[in-house]
């Protein structure tokens, strides 16, 4: 009787850019439906409390701060279990070429339209941030409640609250820019970490 050869489990295929773009389109459609059904002045979500020029300036300034903060946070916690779990969570994304930029733009636009422009006026900053956290649970694979998981969840919730207040006091464009900046830095950090491991 011959021994059965050991079969390696098949690695899950990478998540392609097209899936990220499709998610963005779906989020935008759902957001548009909610905005046009639930809000008296649907187009006011684009204008915000500040004009577009001011939003752009504030957004660029806040984006620079967010990008630096995101990078410094990674450097300070590079060896933590939470950081290793975050890198693992995003390791399936196709991060080749400029994909980190496109994925970040898709997430920033789709998620800010859905969570800030559509849901936040109905639910408020805090409940919207809980919903935001819950929708990120599958990505981060919060299977067991340990210190690393709590740190990740607190980070996601905190970023969502910050984006909520940026939307509320500055506007949607600024919130999108900050979201994109955080994601771009995070995805390039993940890509570099994965390259160093291989």
């Amino acid at each position: 009787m011959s021994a059965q050869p050991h079969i390696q489990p098949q690695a899950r295929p990478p998540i392609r850019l097209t899936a990220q773009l499709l998610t963005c389109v779906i989020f935008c459609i759902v957001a548009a439906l909610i905005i046009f059904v639930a809000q008296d002045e649907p187009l006011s979500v684009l204008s915000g409390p500040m004009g577009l020029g001011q939003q752009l300036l504030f957004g660029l300034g806040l984006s620079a701060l967010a990008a630096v903060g995101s990078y410094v946070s990674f450097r300070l916690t590079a060896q933590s279990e939470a950081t290793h779990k975050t890198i693992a969570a995003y390791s399936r994304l196709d991060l080749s070429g400029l994909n980190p930029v496109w994925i970040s733009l898709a997430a920033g636009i789709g998620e800010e339209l859905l969570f800030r422009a559509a849901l936040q006026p109905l639910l408020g900053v805090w409940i919207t941030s809980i919903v935001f956290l819950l929708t990120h649970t599958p990505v981060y694979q919060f299977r067991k409640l340990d210190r690393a998981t709590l740190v990740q969840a607190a980070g996601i919730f905190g970023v969502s609250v910050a984006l909520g207040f940026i939307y509320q006091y500055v506007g949607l464009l600024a919130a999108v820019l900050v979201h994109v900046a955080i994601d771009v830095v995070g995805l390039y950090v993940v890509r570099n970490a994965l390259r160093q491991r291989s």
Side-chain angles (χ1 to χ4, degrees):
M1 191 164 180
S2 64
Q4 295 262 344
H6 180 68
I7 299 173
Q8 294 289 334
Q10 194 82 355
R12 293 170 67 186
I15 300 169
R16 300 281 177 214
L17 177 62
T18 51
Q20 302 297 310
L21 297 177
L22 181 60
T23 301
C24 174
V25 169
I26 292 168
F27 278 16
C28 290
I29 291 169
V30 171
L33 291 172
I34 293 170
I35 290 167
F36 281 101
V37 168
Q39 296 184 20
D40 294 333
E41 296 178 32
L43 295 180
S44 68
V45 301
L46 299 176
S47 59
M50 294 187 180
L52 288 178
Q54 287 180 305
Q55 285 188 51
L56 180 62
L57 289 176
F58 271 90
L60 290 173
L62 292 170
S63 294
L65 289 174
V68 169
S70 181
Y71 183 75
V72 168
S73 172
F74 169 75
R75 298 301 298 172
L76 293 174
T77 63
Q79 300 306 316
S80 73
E81 185 182 351
T83 298
H84 289 288
K85 286 177 73 173
T86 301
I87 290 169
Y90 286 103
S91 65
R92 285 191 55 225
L93 291 175
D94 177 3
L95 298 176
S96 61
L98 289 174
N99 282 0
V101 174
W102 303 125
I103 292 169
S104 299
L105 281 168
I109 292 168
E111 290 181 3
E112 292 310 302
L113 268 174
L114 179 60
F115 293 102
R116 259 39 86 184
L119 295 178
Q120 186 170 309
L122 302 173
L123 304 174
V125 172
W126 301 101
I127 295 175
T128 299
S129 294
I130 291 170
V131 175
F132 185 84
L133 173 61
L134 293 174
T135 61
H136 284 74
T137 297
V139 174
Y140 284 90
Q141 302 172 356
F142 295 145
R143 292 193 181 112
K144 64 178 185 173
L145 201 59
D146 57 9
R147 184 178 186 283
T149 298
L150 292 175
V151 168
Q152 284 180 296
I156 295 165
F157 182 78
V159 165
S160 181
V161 169
L163 290 169
F165 284 122
I166 291 169
Y167 170 74
Q168 187 172 328
Y169 294 108
V170 183
L172 181 63
L173 177 59
V176 168
L177 291 172
V178 172
H179 191 145
V180 170
I182 292 169
D183 284 2
V184 164
V185 170
L187 292 178
Y188 275 109
V189 162
V190 167
R191 182 166 85 176
N192 290 339
L194 293 171
R195 284 179 176 173
Q196 287 173 5
R197 288 181 185 177
S198 59

